[in-house]
Structure formats: structure tokens, C-alpha cells
């Protein structure tokens, strides 16, 4: 059984890299946000708006726990906040998994999120200045949890293929 888990801040490329990696390794790909949306029949934005963030965090924990105890192999991309609530970070150290923190420089994340924030409930209503401060502060707070991942991939200056190659190398040799 092989569970590969990708973590990182919003905009770090978890979903894109996860789906390309899964194809290459011929494993199923699961994006936790999409999994929650399908299971709840609501978008993440709707869940935040109608039921609130705490409710979303409970769902996130529930579905992550479900996925982590099943016997299937997969590549799983978490949401940016997933490791930071409900002790989810402990799962990054599980025996049958390889977890990767996609560590992306803050200025790159801010640039990406400036043009792609409309479906992200935590940031959609921030100004550019507020966004920069918000991202920097959250990365400072969240790094503690992200660093529970078994491997760190510094993605700055790398393209998707190079990031995937680094992950593959670690998956094969460990
Ligand atoms: C969140 C990140 C989002 C999504 C939700 C909350 C966060 O996932 O789970 O909007 O707290 O950082 P992505 O990192 O896939 O955008």
C-alpha cells in the first residue's frame, strides 16, 4: 500500500502536481477539497458561507480520517489548512505514507493568489495589500504543521516536471 500526501499553502500547486504525479505513478488521485465537495454535494465556498469555517474543518478531519484508514493506495492533495487543525498533522507521519510539503516562496504564492482568489473563501474579499500580509502571517503560523511532512520540496524556480521528479525520487528510494 502506498499513500502519497501533498501539503502546502494555497497556490503551491498541490492539486496540479498531485494529479500529474498520480498519472505517472499509475495511482488514483484524490483532491481532499473535491472529495469533500462531492461527498457533501456543496462547493467549499458554499460550505464556508452557509455553515462556517469550523464546520468545514470538522468535515475536513472526518474525510481525511476516512481516507487515511482505508487500505487503498493513492496520491492525496490536502487543502492548505488541513494539517493545521484537529491534529491532522500527526497523519503526515503515518507508517504507510510519504508526505511532502511543497514549500513555495511567499511572493510567488501571493502573485498566484492575486489572480486566483475568487473561489477561495479565506481570501476572496481581501485587497492586494491585505492579501500579502494575510499570506505571510498564515505561512508563519502554519509552517509548524507543514513541517511535520516527511519530505520538503522547495518548489521556487522549479517547473511541475522538476517538482514531480523530486517527489518520485524520494518515493522510490524511501
Ligand atoms: C484553505 C485552503 C483551500 C480550501 C479552503 C481552506 C486554507 O484549499 O481547503 O478554502 O485554509 O488554506 P487549497 O489549498 O487547495 O486552495
Amino acid at each position: 500500500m502506498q499513500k502519497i500526501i501533498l501539503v502546502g499553502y494555497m497556490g503551491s500547486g498541490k492539486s496540479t502536481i498531485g494529479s500529474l504525479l498520480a498519472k505517472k505513478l499509475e495511482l488514483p488521485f484524490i483532491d481532499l477539497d473535491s472529495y469533500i465537495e462531492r461527498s457533501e454535494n456543496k462547493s467549499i465556498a458554499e460550505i464556508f458561507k452557509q455553515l462556517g469555517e469550523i464546520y468545514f474543518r470538522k468535515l475536513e478531519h472526518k474525510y481525511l480520517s476516512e481516507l487515511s484508514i482505508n487500505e487503498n493506495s493513492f496520491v492525496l492533495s490536502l487543502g492548505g489548512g488541513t494539517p493545521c487543525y484537529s491534529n491532522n498533522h500527526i497523519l503526515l507521519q503515518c507508517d504507510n505514507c510519504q508526505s511532502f510539503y511543497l514549500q513555495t516562496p511567499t511572493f510567488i504564492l501571493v502573485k498566484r493568489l492575486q489572480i486566483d482568489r475568487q473561489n477561495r473563501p479565506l481570501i476572496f474579499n481581501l485587497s492586494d495589500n491585505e492579501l500579502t500580509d494575510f499570506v505571510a502571517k498564515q505561512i508563519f503560523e502554519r509552517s509548524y504543521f507543514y513541517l511535520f511532512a516527511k519530505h520538503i520540496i522547495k518548489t521556487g524556480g522549479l517547473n511541475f516536471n522538476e517538482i514531480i521528479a523530486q517527489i518520485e525520487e524520494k518515493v522510490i528510494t524511501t
Side-chain angles (χ1 to χ4, degrees):
M1 187 200 359
Q2 191 170 39
K3 293 188 192 304
I4 297 173
I5 304 177
L6 303 185
V7 306
Y9 198 70
M10 288 183 273
S12 58
K14 302 177 295 291
S15 305
T16 310
I17 291 163
S19 94
L20 293 170
L21 177 70
K23 259 196 208 109
K24 266 195 108 177
L25 298 174
E26 299 185 351
L27 290 174
F29 171 63
I30 303 169
D31 179 81
L32 185 61
D33 281 341
S34 311
Y35 188 82
I36 295 171
E37 289 181 326
R38 270 199 313 277
S39 310
E40 294 292 312
N41 208 13
K42 277 189 170 65
S43 71
I44 300 294
E46 282 168 344
I47 297 172
F48 265 73
K49 200 161 163 223
Q50 295 167 9
L51 302 155
E53 180 174 355
I54 293 174
Y55 187 87
F56 170 74
R57 297 300 173 195
K58 287 186 182 154
L59 287 178
E60 202 176 30
H61 180 66
K62 171 181 148 194
Y63 289 114
L64 177 63
S65 306
E66 230 174 74
L67 290 167
S68 61
I69 54 170
N70 76 30
E71 294 295 310
N72 303 333
S73 295
F74 51 63
V75 176
L76 170 67
S77 295
L78 301 186
T82 316
C84 316
Y85 297 87
S86 317
N87 279 331
N88 293 336
H89 64 291
I90 303 293
L91 287 170
L92 302 179
Q93 290 282 328
C94 63
D95 284 342
N96 290 316
C97 75
Q98 294 291 354
S99 49
F100 292 87
Y101 170 26
L102 304 182
Q103 189 177 47
T104 308
T106 305
F107 78 95
I108 297 180
L109 295 173
V110 170
K111 242 202 297 191
R112 287 184 191 156
L113 294 171
Q114 269 169 354
I115 52 172
D116 185 19
R117 64 177 114 161
Q118 61 287 355
N119 291 318
R120 294 184 149 107
L122 290 177
I123 56 170
F124 77 97
N125 58 356
L126 302 181
S127 69
D128 281 356
N129 279 343
E130 286 169 336
L131 181 70
T132 307
D133 291 349
F134 182 86
V135 172
K137 182 168 175 277
Q138 272 212 320
I139 288 175
F140 177 74
E141 291 164 351
R142 290 179 167 190
S143 291
Y144 171 81
F145 300 98
Y146 293 154
L147 290 168
F148 273 80
K150 292 184 181 175
H151 309 283
I152 298 169
I153 307 288
K154 291 187 188 300
T155 69
L158 302 182
N159 63 34
F160 286 148
N161 286 333
E162 291 165 332
I163 296 168
I164 289 165
Q166 287 204 13
I167 297 175
E168 271 188 298
E169 198 181 302
K170 297 229 160 60
V171 167
I172 290 160
T173 56
T174 49

